[in-house]
Each structure stands twice: as C-alpha cells, then as structure tokens.
Amino acid sequence: MPLSEIKETKNRTVGTKQTLKALQKGKAIKVFIALDAEKRVTDPVVALCKEKNVPVETVDTMAELGKSCGIAVGCACAAIIDPGKEV
C-alpha cells in the first residue's frame, strides 16, 4: 500500500507550502499528491519534483492523504523528508 510509508514516518511535511519548502531546500525524499486536488495547487509541486528528481506518488483523495498524515482534514500534498534535515 503506497500510503504506508507516509503513515509510518514522523519525518514528513503536510500541505503544499511545507512540501514546496522541503523540495526547494533539497530535503524531500518522496512526495505524495492527491488526485482530487486542484491542479493549480499541485502542478508547481509536481514541476519542482521533476526538476529535483524527487519521486511522486499519487493518492486518490485529499481526505485519504490527510488521514494518512494524521490530520482530520484533507491535504493536497505531503512529503517524506530526510530525517537528518529539518524543514
């Protein structure tokens, strides 16, 4: 199951702004994108992932991704970050 990775780690970002920040700083190892999120929100994240060669995994819904990250609301993006680096 693809979301098991994000569920099992405490080294993650939740949300588009934090995920973009982690990507810009070179700290993101893997990014998760919700397919039902607005493209204007997720497209910059996907583009930066391509630029930085960070793998992207898609998730069906924002609610599913948010729940996997331990929050009560949906989120468009999340990332697993290098445990040795803080965002």
Side-chain angles (χ1 to χ4, degrees), residues 17-76:
K17 287 180 184 178
Q18 292 299 316
T19 300
L20 280 170
K21 189 188 296 184
L23 283 164
Q24 290 163 346
K25 292 180 177 183
K27 297 175 182 177
I29 298 170
K30 186 174 191 177
V31 171
F32 295 82
I33 303 284
L35 292 174
D36 65 342
E38 292 183 37
K39 292 290 181 202
R40 66 177 179 80
V41 173
T42 59
D43 282 351
V45 176
V46 173
L48 194 52
C49 285
K50 286 180 185 174
E51 182 183 315
K52 302 280 188 178
N53 294 318
V54 174
V56 174
E57 194 155 314
T58 57
V59 179
D60 289 334
T61 66
M62 291 173 58
E64 186 180 2
L65 184 54
K67 183 178 178 183
S68 295
C69 292
I71 61 173
V73 294
C75 69

